[in-house]
Amino acid sequence: MKVIEAINLNKKFINGKEETHVLKDINLSIHQGEFVSIMGPSGSGKSTLLYLLGGLDAPTSGSVMLEDTDLSKVKQKQMSKLRRSKIGFVFQFYNLVPNLSVEDNILLPIILDGENPKKYEAALTDILETIGLTDKRKLTPRELSGGQQQRVAIARALVFDPDIIFLDEPIGNLDSKTGKEIMQLFQTINLKYNKTLVQVTHSAKSAKYGTSIVRLVDGQIVEHIDVCEEESITA
């Protein structure tokens, strides 16, 4: 089943009299349970494509379909609701609240949405076990390593049980050993929860944790290939 589809997607930025055509007629379908890695050189439009697919930005022309919903026709209030219920984000920077505990940082979207966090206690316990931080739930971010902070950010993206999780250079600030552990965690989330993951990465090794690779050059898709079983990395 298609969970997200880009149709003739274009994005232009205008700076004074200068126009930059960042994405050019992008057509891309992503199915339930895929783990797609978007790769390409700097300036190729990787992050722009990710933000359009996730509804954080709007295309100049074309459309993004989230299942049966055309994101270009969704009002801001409904888009915010979609981001909280169907879409999760993990960024290069963790964006945690320093004086809140691990569990409160994870539950923050629930609290801000006016829901009762007690309803999510079982989900929280399961997620803490998955990310390996059960014994650190009462600690604050300043008491955690960078890798542990990123695990909290991942858990926060998972707590609403979204269909799709978008990852923007999620291990960009981590050392290679910690980055490998985080990629293994994403692979576990993809397989254990059947979540659809879409990541932007510069790393060929990180891309091989997924199921397919989309290569962008100068704002156009030049390749969309499956990750061969012999090339994929098993956690």
Side-chain angles (χ1 to χ4, degrees):
M1 181 183 80
K2 289 181 188 176
V3 291
I4 197 155
E5 183 177 17
I7 304 168
N8 298 326
L9 206 61
N10 284 270
K11 182 65 177 180
K12 298 178 182 178
F13 292 104
I14 298 174
N15 184 11
K17 295 182 179 180
E18 186 176 337
E19 180 180 271
T20 305
H21 201 165
V22 179
L23 293 176
K24 305 165 186 173
D25 297 317
I26 297 290
N27 289 282
L28 176 64
S29 296
I30 298 173
H31 293 79
Q32 175 66 38
E34 280 194 276
F35 185 170
V36 179
S37 299
I38 301 172
M39 301 189 71
S42 295
S44 60
K46 301 185 299 297
S47 291
T48 300
L49 177 57
L50 190 81
Y51 296 157
L52 293 180
L53 294 176
L56 290 180
D57 197 2
T60 304
S61 64
S63 57
V64 175
M65 301 297 296
L66 180 64
E67 296 177 351
D68 297 325
T69 303
D70 184 344
L71 295 187
S72 66
K73 297 179 179 178
V74 173
K75 293 182 179 179
Q76 186 60 41
K77 189 173 181 180
Q78 186 186 355
M79 189 67 241
S80 297
K81 186 176 181 181
L82 281 174
R83 288 196 204 106
R84 292 195 302 267
S85 59
K86 286 188 172 288
I87 300 170
F89 285 94
V90 178
F91 298 99
Q92 182 174 345
F93 301 98
Y94 322 125
N95 298 321
L96 303 179
V97 181
N99 60 332
L100 293 183
S101 66
V102 164
E103 61 182 12
D104 285 343
N105 264 288
I106 294 170
L107 291 171
L108 188 59
I110 304 289
I111 296 167
L112 292 176
D113 210 39
E115 294 201 43
N116 184 354
K118 290 184 178 179
K119 292 195 303 182
Y120 290 83
E121 188 58 40
L124 176 64
T125 299
D126 181 58
I127 291 168
L128 283 166
E129 185 176 341
T130 299
I131 67 171
L133 292 181
T134 300
D135 60 338
K136 300 187 186 299
R137 62 190 297 162
K138 298 296 183 183
L139 300 183
T140 59
R142 61 175 62 91
E143 299 173 279
L144 304 176
S145 67
Q148 289 169 336
Q149 289 184 56
Q150 187 62 302
R151 287 172 184 267
V152 176
I154 294 164
R156 184 179 55 197
L158 275 173
V159 73
F160 262 115
D161 195 27
D163 296 329
I164 309 165
I165 302 174
F166 293 98
L167 317 169
D168 189 9
E169 294 284 4
I171 62 170
N173 282 335
L174 304 175
D175 61 77
S176 58
K177 179 177 180 294
T178 305
K180 179 180 177 181
E181 292 171 354
I182 295 298
M183 290 311 305
Q184 289 173 337
L185 176 57
F186 286 134
Q187 192 176 56
T188 297
I189 290 166
N190 174 238
L191 298 173
K192 178 179 177 180
Y193 296 104
N194 194 33
K195 296 298 180 189
T196 305
L197 272 63
V198 184
Q199 74 162 338
V200 162
T201 180
H202 283 94
S203 167
K205 285 185 178 180
S206 294
K208 289 179 181 178
Y209 282 90
T211 58
S212 66
I213 298 173
V214 173
R215 296 189 189 277
L216 282 182
V217 175
D218 295 331
Q220 294 179 300
I221 294 176
V222 296
E223 189 176 47
H224 187 181
I225 57 172
D226 291 334
V227 176
C228 298
E229 288 187 13
E230 60 266 25
E231 290 185 357
S232 65
I233 301 174
T234 303

